Amino acid sequence: MALAPADSSEHTIDGLGPPTSFDQLFDQIICSETFVGAPVTRKLLLHLWQHRGDSISEYAIAVDALGRPPEFNPKEDATVRVAIARLRAKLKEFYERDAQSSSFHLTIPLGGHEIKWVPRFRESSRVSILPVSPLIYRNLLLGSIAVVAVLLFF
């Protein structure tokens, strides 16, 4: 169900076994239970995907993707902003429920409506920082005092 032609060499992801294109990852999202059960949000995501890389206005999204009349005024009506917020929530739900092992996530950064692929931050790649016990500070302080005392008396 590739929705827009893409040069697979341009959109190839390494590290997932056989090469997987962003188009294939998008198809997994759009065909998931999360989006099949939300037709308006699905239509909005399809529209943003088909116009990725284009400068698309809030008005165009409202009229073309959400079926608003040509008289729609984005300054008076928050329909698009609300729909984008719902889409962000659906994407989060998809990645938590259906694609926990995905190497890339499709996101819509706050303050806009452009979709972007970002590498997923994996739990295993986090640096573990253990809390420092107050005893460590006490031992360092006592050790420093002992060193200073030895240096002063010898």
Side-chain angles (χ1 to χ4, degrees):
M1 178 182 166
L3 301 168
D7 175 7
S8 62
S9 63
E10 179 184 331
H11 299 289
T12 298
I13 306 167
D14 295 324
L16 293 175
T20 303
S21 73
F22 285 131
D23 287 328
Q24 291 169 329
L25 291 174
F26 179 78
D27 289 348
Q28 290 174 359
I29 296 169
I30 208 71
C31 294
S32 70
E33 287 182 30
T34 303
F35 283 94
V36 169
V40 174
T41 305
R42 185 175 192 265
K43 186 176 179 183
L44 174 59
L45 181 57
L46 283 166
H47 185 77
L48 294 176
W49 180 255
Q50 291 168 341
H51 294 280
R52 64 192 183 277
D54 297 345
S55 177
I56 185 169
S57 69
E58 198 171 320
Y59 174 84
I61 293 170
V63 173
D64 298 337
L66 301 175
R68 296 295 180 257
E71 302 81 35
F72 176 82
N73 183 349
K75 292 181 181 179
E76 297 175 0
D77 191 336
T79 299
V80 174
R81 294 182 293 280
V82 170
I84 294 291
R86 288 184 181 143
L87 175 54
R88 284 187 189 104
K90 280 292 183 192
L91 285 168
K92 182 178 183 215
E93 177 185 333
F94 169 77
Y95 287 110
E96 288 174 352
R97 190 174 94 180
D98 300 328
Q100 294 175 355
S101 65
S102 178
S103 295
F104 285 83
H105 282 197
L106 188 63
T107 64
I108 304 170
L110 292 175
H113 45 262
E114 181 181 346
I115 57 176
K116 296 182 186 260
W117 288 106
V118 296
R120 180 173 178 257
F121 185 74
R122 297 192 182 277
E123 292 292 325
S124 62
S125 65
R126 286 188 183 173
V127 175
S128 178
I129 300 175
L130 299 174
V132 178
S133 167
L135 291 176
I136 292 175
Y137 291 121
R138 183 185 63 104
N139 292 342
L140 284 173
L141 179 63
L142 291 175
S144 299
I145 291 172
V147 168
V148 169
V150 168
L151 291 175
L152 286 175
F153 293 110
F154 291 105

